[in-house]
Amino acid sequence: MVDFTWDPDTYLEVMAEEIPDYRRLQDELLAAVVEADPRTILDLGVGSGLTAMRVAEVLPQTHIHGIDESEEMLAGAAKVLDPDRSSLSPGRLQDSLPSAPIDLVMSTLAVHHLNAEEKADLFTRIHEVLVDGGRFVLADLVDPPDPADVVTPIDGVIDIPSTLAEQLGWLTHAGFAPRVAWQHRDLVVVAADKVV
């Protein structure tokens, strides 16, 4: 596995450099989250906390719990998130998820680090922790049908994007009604509502 440590202080500029549509991806995720009007959010791979901060700004009644496996990123997120409206804990996407009632789960540019089996398993576990009618918003890299649409550098070791079709299938199998909220080249935002 590639040994790489994210730096919360340079995260935004690295994302903007490597992913030309990073801000649009965030905007589209934000729209899908706001549409659901959640009160409790679980952010898987909270990273620098910048996406969670944007969500918190437009949803002032929401509490966000962020999980990330990087202690450095969690420390960065702690600097930008209001401690009265957020909580942070170390964890990997492969670990057990918090069992408290959760209205919405979101993940930005983290799920593509999982292999196919791990993605399918994660989607099932997300379904289990969401309240009835809850939503999962996935903003991530996909393996596009046209190789010309691959614009984000991936290493094939820690970056393992799956196709959109595969992920929609896994979400449906897990009990979601997924829809593509936005897609451009190798980026996608999927809003998946828990079927009850």
Side-chain angles (χ1 to χ4, degrees):
M1 179 167 260
V2 175
D3 186 21
F4 182 81
T5 302
W6 285 107
D7 179 352
D9 296 329
T10 61
Y11 181 81
L12 194 56
E13 58 196 66
V14 170
M15 288 297 98
E17 181 180 313
E18 290 193 354
I19 305 173
D21 287 319
Y22 178 68
R23 291 215 186 263
R24 178 72 188 272
L25 180 76
Q26 276 195 320
D27 291 345
E28 296 295 338
L29 171 128
L30 184 61
V33 169
V34 169
E35 179 182 70
D37 195 26
R39 292 296 174 258
T40 55
I41 294 177
L42 174 62
D43 188 351
L44 299 177
V46 68
S48 64
L50 296 175
T51 301
M53 181 181 73
R54 289 190 65 195
V55 169
E57 287 171 353
V58 297
L59 293 172
Q61 303 304 314
T62 298
H63 182 273
I64 299 174
H65 180 75
I67 294 174
D68 204 286
E69 66 180 86
S70 165
E71 292 290 345
E72 294 84 6
M73 294 303 273
L74 287 172
K79 292 177 185 176
V80 300
L81 295 174
D82 180 348
D84 293 331
R85 298 182 47 223
S86 65
S87 54
L88 299 167
S89 60
R92 301 175 325 130
L93 299 184
Q94 298 94 328
D95 296 341
S96 297
L97 301 176
S99 60
I102 299 167
D103 298 324
L104 186 138
V105 175
M106 67 182 201
S107 184
T108 309
L109 298 172
V111 172
H112 74 274
H113 296 303
L114 302 177
N115 65 35
E117 186 176 298
E118 291 170 329
K119 288 182 183 89
D121 177 65
L122 175 64
F123 296 165
T124 297
R125 290 183 292 114
I126 289 170
H127 185 274
E128 291 170 356
V129 301
L130 280 170
V131 299
D132 289 348
R135 175 174 284 185
F136 171 42
V137 180
L138 173 68
D140 217 324
L141 291 172
V142 294
D143 183 10
D146 184 350
D149 284 334
V150 175
V151 295
T152 306
I154 61 166
D155 63 14
V157 178
I158 63 168
D159 299 313
I160 320 167
S162 299
T163 67
L164 175 59
E166 287 172 321
Q167 293 185 79
L168 293 175
W170 297 325
L171 286 164
T172 301
H173 182 75
F176 288 101
R179 69 175 171 82
V180 177
W182 176 78
Q183 182 179 15
H184 182 69
R185 304 190 84 172
D186 59 357
L187 296 176
V188 67
V189 173
V190 175
D193 293 322
K194 181 174 179 175
V195 178
V196 291

